[in-house]
Amino acid sequence: MTVFPLSTQKASSLTICSFHSKSYSEVNPEHHSDHSAWETPDPGFWTQHGYAVVRADERGLGQSPGVLDTMSRGTSEAFVDVVEWAAEQPWSSGKVGLLGISYYAGSQWRVAARQPKGLACIIPWEGMSDYYRDRCRHGGILSNKFIKFWWDRQVITNQYGRPGRAARNWGPDTIEGDLSEEELLANRNDQTIDNATHKFRDEPYYASKEYNMEDIKVPLLSVANWGGILLHLRGNVIGYMNAGSEHKYLRFITGRHDLPFYYHEEVELQRSFLDAFLKGEDREGWSTGQAPKVDVLLRKGNVGFDNAEAERAYTRRTENEWPIARTQYTKFFLTPDLQLQTQSPQSKLVKVDYRALGTLESPQLVQFSTPAFEQETEITGHIVAHLNVSVSPDKGGPLPSDIDLFLTLRYISPTGEEVYYTGTAGDPVPLAKGWLRVSMRKVNEKHLRHREYLPHRDYFSTDVLPVMPGEVYPVDVEIWPSNVVVEKGGKIVLEVSSGDTQGSGIFQHNDPNDRYVIPSLHSSLFRDFEANKAKLSRETARNQPHTFRAGVRELCDSSCDSKQIEAVSDSQFRIINILCYVNIDYMNDKTILRHRPIAPEGNDGGPEQEPEGRSTRRIS
């Protein structure tokens, strides 16, 4: 964590953290010093401008003993102590500001909600605000690969008592001495294990990390990166929307995760904001509300990716609110010939099939494309896809128990090439992504944060709904906010897949246990069905999903060889009548369309069912 109290003395730096050499070489040289550290402000620069920099080791890391429990309630409470301590020091003005990237941004939301004495403002720069939805379980699906990458590379390597840190140029060795592997293991709560073990927000693990965004009252500047489509972007936008601050601002940027924070113009913006609330020197109207509330970077053209100089071609526009008030939520319908069009098709119901459990190496997907746009059109804001989906097993294949939906929006330039943008690690990414585990499809429409363009899910254990082969389920899939200026002749593609596709990079969802590995079916399974018939009835599945799932487990345990485990790779997902709508600027109609299909008999072994609780039209 990094704290910025005003000071008339030299900076105080408590910890030296490692900075990747390639990244450091590309950082603005103004921010090179002996105390430079990854994702944090450079003390060498900031102390020259009248600030003291306090960088404190979290409990269980660096030189702070105790149990390592990242992003926990305990660490947030300890952060409160650090802020209040800094505000009381003789070298401090009593006003503290927070500034940092990623973890050092995400922790700001949580401490600000606890309202520590002395905290005057925060700048969460590319920092998630919702641990469950933004980072760990996208749509209920475990985002395991990044968690493991981050944990192994940046967390346990810095654990208190870890031997050989100085030799690896990973910070100083622990002053009190090294700990054994057994002691290190006992002194940490492992995120890679905890997130795989726990699935729902009402479990103590996730519930202990919750806080109320509306409790944030200090001025804030939330900086979101359009390229952070699998981490942070959503958190910066939602955090801004829900914070209770009177003076709050949202700014969009592009570029690799580690570089824009240090760009000269961005640092000057940081200084301007901090000066306003920590020094009382307001040059831009931050404290009076005269500064623009929202500053949008408009992505137009194909400038390539991981090219900071080329991205300077993007222009900015300021707005008074988010979402933009003059947005129109425009309906796009999917057609049987894989088109994406604004006219509602009048044909009969038609299915589009694709295989289950795709991977980044072997993607299984379908893509729907708009015609070439006849005029330049800006798409800015939130996106949601309305889909009716079903799943059916192959003949002789295992019984599927869920559907994982992976959605991607892509932009095709007028020349026919896909435009890639700079992702978090400098990798090429598409416009946007979204996810949903269909058993977690329940939406809480009564929640104060629910919007038609942003469905709110609680992700509670009591929200789990059954997924039965052959039945059609209507779902609303949140796609993370995005921006693109579609040029005349350009196209938008909606991709629906059963696993990660291009653009996922290190943020993959490929944990074999989370992606519903189930026992193979044997003939004995059917012999044991009668004994479990009460628990496996359709009524039980609908009304008592936990009893139903317990019955399935008992049936599999009694009838299947535990050594014969097989993924549901032979299943097919069936998309029926997919409807999505996006926010297009400069239009006003906000009507949300609902349709109703009257489904015919299917050829997949059973009759198609009318989607529950939703009306839709047929499409052919």
Side-chain angles (χ1 to χ4, degrees):
M1 290 72 102
T2 304
V3 183
F4 275 73
L6 179 64
S7 173
T8 57
Q9 298 183 12
K10 294 182 66 176
S12 170
S13 179
L14 302 185
T15 305
I16 300 174
C17 301
S18 181
F19 211 127
H20 191 278
S21 58
K22 181 179 183 299
S23 173
Y24 186 69
S25 69
E26 297 178 59
V27 164
N28 178 358
E30 292 181 329
H31 300 272
H32 286 189
S33 77
D34 292 340
H35 299 288
S36 298
W38 171 257
E39 297 180 331
T40 63
D42 172 40
F45 174 88
W46 285 93
T47 54
Q48 296 177 31
H49 293 88
Y51 288 92
V53 178
V54 177
R55 193 184 298 143
D57 289 340
E58 195 169 271
R59 185 173 56 199
L61 289 167
Q63 303 294 342
S64 293
V67 175
L68 170 58
D69 192 10
T70 51
M71 302 181 187
S72 65
R73 175 182 175 182
T75 58
S76 295
E77 291 172 345
F79 197 176
V80 169
D81 294 339
V82 172
V83 172
E84 295 186 341
W85 171 87
E88 294 172 352
Q89 298 311 299
W91 41 260
S92 171
S93 68
K95 293 181 179 180
V96 175
L98 306 181
L99 174 62
I101 316 174
S102 191
Y103 191 96
Y104 309 106
S107 56
Q108 293 180 40
W109 302 103
R110 291 161 177 76
V111 72
R114 289 170 168 80
Q115 302 178 2
K117 296 177 182 178
L119 184 61
C121 64
I122 63 174
I123 307 180
W125 194 285
E126 293 189 54
M128 54 146 192
S129 59
D130 189 318
Y131 182 71
Y132 185 99
R133 298 178 180 90
D134 299 345
R135 183 181 193 274
C136 298
R137 288 193 167 268
H138 295 151
I141 306 169
L142 178 63
S143 180
N144 58 288
K145 187 166 183 179
F146 174 74
I147 294 174
K148 180 171 177 52
F149 172 85
W150 174 80
W151 181 260
D152 291 347
R153 181 181 176 84
Q154 292 183 253
V155 181
I156 59 174
T157 53
N158 288 312
Q159 186 176 359
Y160 175 87
R162 170 71 59 186
R165 294 177 71 239
R168 298 193 312 275
N169 194 30
W170 210 259
D173 289 332
T174 305
I175 296 172
E176 291 84 0
D178 297 339
L179 298 179
S180 67
E181 281 299 323
E182 292 76 13
E183 291 174 306
L184 291 170
L185 183 62
N187 283 347
R188 66 176 180 253
N189 293 329
D190 192 321
Q191 267 205 24
T192 65
I193 297 173
D194 292 340
N195 280 292
T197 302
H198 304 285
K199 300 182 189 233
F200 309 110
R201 284 184 57 247
D202 56 345
E203 294 182 82
Y205 173 72
Y206 285 116
S208 67
K209 302 177 187 298
E210 291 290 325
Y211 65 100
N212 189 350
M213 292 183 188
E214 287 77 8
D215 288 340
I216 299 173
K217 302 299 183 181
V218 296
L220 70 90
L221 171 59
S222 178
V223 181
N225 192 324
W226 284 129
I229 63 173
L230 296 105
L231 181 67
H232 296 321
L233 169 60
R234 180 188 187 276
N236 279 108
V237 174
I238 302 301
Y240 165 81
M241 292 172 63
N242 294 321
S245 307
E246 177 184 359
H247 299 301
K248 58 181 182 178
Y249 303 90
L250 176 63
R251 179 178 178 84
F252 291 96
I253 61 171
T254 60
R256 210 172 68 198
H257 177 65
D258 54 329
L259 296 182
F261 182 78
Y262 301 101
Y263 291 170
H264 177 78
E265 62 273 20
E266 300 298 342
V267 173
E268 288 305 301
L269 185 83
Q270 298 163 16
R271 280 188 58 206
S272 171
F273 187 82
L274 292 170
D275 284 354
F277 294 105
L278 301 186
K279 295 183 177 182
E281 301 172 4
D282 190 352
R283 300 180 291 275
E284 303 294 337
W286 299 108
S287 62
T288 61
Q290 294 176 325
K293 296 294 185 185
V294 177
D295 193 330
V296 181
L297 191 64
L298 302 172
R299 298 190 294 181
K300 179 180 177 179
N302 187 357
V303 304
F305 63 92
D306 201 14
N307 187 333
E309 191 60 34
E311 290 179 14
R312 293 185 182 276
Y314 295 148
T315 59
R316 289 194 169 276
R317 187 183 68 230
T318 59
E319 298 288 346
N320 296 320
E321 71 288 308
W322 183 274
I324 299 170
R326 60 185 182 279
T327 299
Q328 177 187 2
Y329 297 83
T330 303
K331 300 173 289 290
F332 283 79
F333 298 86
L334 276 68
T335 68
D337 57 350
L338 305 184
Q339 296 295 306
L340 184 61
Q341 64 182 37
T342 55
Q343 299 80 27
S344 174
Q346 301 300 318
S347 51
K348 64 181 181 180
L349 182 74
V350 170
K351 301 174 184 177
V352 179
D353 294 351
Y354 64 106
R355 312 296 292 179
L357 292 178
T359 65
L360 190 59
E361 296 74 23
S362 179
Q364 305 296 323
L365 56 88
V366 288
Q367 291 183 330
F368 301 84
S369 175
T370 67
F373 277 62
E374 296 180 356
Q375 61 182 7
E376 184 174 286
T377 306
E378 178 185 336
I379 299 175
T380 300
H382 297 269
I383 305 161
V384 64
H386 299 280
L387 297 84
N388 290 316
V389 299
S390 70
V391 60
S392 59
D394 283 342
K395 184 177 180 180
L399 183 70
S401 60
D402 215 326
I403 305 173
D404 284 349
L405 296 171
F406 292 71
L407 273 58
T408 302
L409 278 186
R410 302 185 183 276
Y411 173 49
I412 310 301
S413 74
T415 62
E417 299 175 325
E418 180 171 357
V419 177
Y420 295 115
Y421 303 92
T422 305
T424 297
D427 50 324
V429 298
L431 283 177
K433 286 184 177 286
W435 309 262
L436 181 65
R437 177 157 287 164
V438 173
S439 61
M440 298 301 297
R441 61 190 177 272
K442 183 178 179 181
V443 173
N444 184 356
E445 296 183 355
K446 296 182 179 180
H447 197 282
L448 63 87
R449 294 179 186 168
H450 175 76
R451 301 290 185 272
E452 288 181 304
Y453 57 79
L454 188 61
H456 181 86
R457 289 186 170 86
D458 293 320
Y459 294 105
F460 292 161
S461 58
T462 52
D463 293 335
V464 177
L465 297 173
V467 175
M468 303 286 290
E471 291 216 29
V472 181
Y473 299 99
V475 295
D476 294 338
V477 184
E478 175 192 351
I479 299 176
W480 284 16
S482 189
N483 161 268
V484 63
V485 177
V486 181
E487 301 156 293
K488 181 180 179 181
K491 299 179 180 179
I492 294 292
V493 171
L494 173 65
E495 174 183 284
V496 184
S497 65
S498 57
D500 294 307
T501 59
Q502 186 281 326
S504 297
I506 60 173
F507 300 94
Q508 293 176 48
H509 311 72
N510 58 7
D511 182 273
N513 295 311
D514 186 73
R515 293 298 309 280
Y516 286 89
V517 176
I518 66 170
S520 301
L521 294 181
H522 296 261
S523 59
S524 60
L525 179 67
F526 300 99
R527 292 197 301 269
D528 290 339
F529 179 82
E530 286 298 317
N532 294 271
K533 185 162 58 177
K535 292 182 179 178
L536 296 173
S537 69
R538 186 180 297 270
E539 290 74 18
T540 303
R542 285 175 173 167
N543 301 322
Q544 300 177 12
H546 291 292
T547 301
F548 175 83
R549 287 176 179 270
V552 171
R553 286 195 296 270
E554 290 177 17
L555 184 61
C556 290
D557 290 344
S558 64
S559 306
C560 302
D561 182 352
S562 61
K563 296 181 181 180
Q564 297 185 8
I565 303 298
E566 180 177 307
V568 197
S569 56
D570 293 327
S571 300
Q572 291 186 345
F573 291 164
R574 291 197 172 156
I575 309 172
I576 303 173
N577 183 19
I578 307 176
L579 164 67
C580 80
Y581 59 86
V582 301
N583 302 354
I584 298 184
D585 203 3
Y586 303 117
M587 301 182 185
N588 298 310
D589 182 10
K590 295 186 179 179
T591 302
I592 306 300
L593 189 64
R594 302 295 188 206
H595 294 281
R596 174 171 200 156
I598 302 174
E601 289 270 323
N603 59 3
D604 55 358
E608 297 290 352
Q609 303 294 320
E610 180 176 320
E612 57 184 18
R614 180 68 53 82
S615 52
T616 56
R617 269 179 221 191
R618 304 178 184 177
I619 38 181
S620 61

